[in-house]
Amino acid sequence: DPAGQPLVMSLLFEPLDLGFVSVSDLTLLEGRVRFHGRTDTTEYACSILPDGTLNRPWVADKIFKDHSLMLRFEAIMQQQVRDDLLHFLETQKACGTSAVFLDLPLMIELGWHKLCDSVWLIAVPDELRIRRAIARDRQLGKELVMRRNNTQLPISEQRKYADAVIDNSGPFANTKAQIDEQLRKLQLIE
């Protein structure tokens, strides 16, 4: 994510013996989206690649340009992802996993933050977020990035739900120090 969640997630797993698990950007779950057997999904046929994973360029091109299409797509996909996520979380709890970190788009907007004991917001100024998104995926362009950002709550609103705000606009060492501080508060590291 342009705010830097991949960096933060990588920092969480630097000490490999902590027993953490992450669900990052739906990569664990997105290949399980199931449209077969539904009569209202023909317009989404191109959203799934032959290997069963999400066709991200198609989604970026079509879904973020058509709000009604996005709402219909999300209604199908998000319920399946939520069901899979709940099953995954139950399994991790049964296995004794010490922490599960979720890096999911629209987490607050979809109410998924209510599944969490602690919510961290990875924040950067909007201008930096836009630059990072374009640098990561050059085909997007500023207009599409802005449209995608507009589907999310403004950072000022997201802050209201956050137990911690990690500022990822500065040097790597600053971001790491903030993460370590939050892990200590949760008693996950000393």
Side-chain angles (χ1 to χ4, degrees):
D1 181 283
Q5 283 93 327
L7 168 67
V8 171
M9 295 303 276
S10 72
L11 292 174
L12 288 170
F13 298 100
E14 197 173 73
L16 297 176
D17 61 345
L18 294 179
F20 298 165
V21 175
S22 85
V23 178
S24 181
D25 196 25
L26 301 181
T27 52
L28 177 70
L29 308 168
E30 71 182 10
R32 301 190 59 200
V33 175
R34 299 166 294 276
F35 292 132
H36 59 278
R38 293 186 64 127
T39 59
D40 59 343
T41 58
T42 56
E43 62 193 325
Y44 309 114
C46 296
S47 68
I48 303 298
L49 296 172
D51 67 358
T53 59
L54 193 63
N55 182 345
R56 289 180 181 274
W58 184 91
V59 170
D61 182 51
K62 302 295 185 206
I63 298 294
F64 291 110
K65 289 182 180 176
D66 182 341
H67 187 69
S68 66
L69 182 64
M70 180 176 70
L71 291 175
R72 292 190 310 272
F73 182 79
E74 284 181 351
I76 294 167
M77 185 172 173
Q78 298 302 340
Q79 185 57 53
Q80 291 178 31
V81 171
R82 184 180 178 91
D83 292 347
D84 288 348
L85 177 60
L86 290 172
H87 175 73
F88 176 80
L89 292 173
E90 288 171 11
T91 301
Q92 293 307 309
K93 185 176 182 177
C95 291
T97 302
S98 62
V100 176
F101 293 88
L102 304 176
D103 172 12
L104 303 174
L106 304 174
M107 184 174 221
I108 294 167
E109 295 84 344
L110 295 170
W112 293 5
H113 65 288
K114 295 173 187 171
L115 300 172
C116 301
D117 296 323
S118 180
V119 175
W120 298 2
L121 173 63
I122 312 306
V124 298
D126 285 339
E127 183 179 306
L128 179 55
R129 182 195 312 229
I130 291 166
R131 281 199 322 260
R132 285 180 178 177
I134 293 169
R136 183 192 68 209
D137 197 349
R138 298 200 184 277
Q139 75 214 29
L140 291 180
K142 187 173 183 175
E143 181 183 333
L144 186 56
V145 171
M146 297 290 290
R147 193 175 301 132
R148 183 181 288 181
N149 282 347
N150 289 338
T151 65
Q152 301 176 4
L153 286 174
I155 293 293
S156 60
E157 287 298 310
Q158 291 180 32
R159 285 178 185 271
K160 295 175 184 177
Y161 296 89
D163 299 302
V165 177
I166 308 292
D167 177 0
N168 192 32
S169 62
F172 173 82
N174 289 355
T175 302
K176 179 154 179 32
Q178 293 172 74
I179 291 167
D180 288 347
E181 177 185 345
Q182 294 307 316
L183 290 173
R184 277 191 288 281
K185 283 182 181 178
L186 294 173
Q187 300 178 347
L188 294 171
I189 65 169
E190 294 181 7

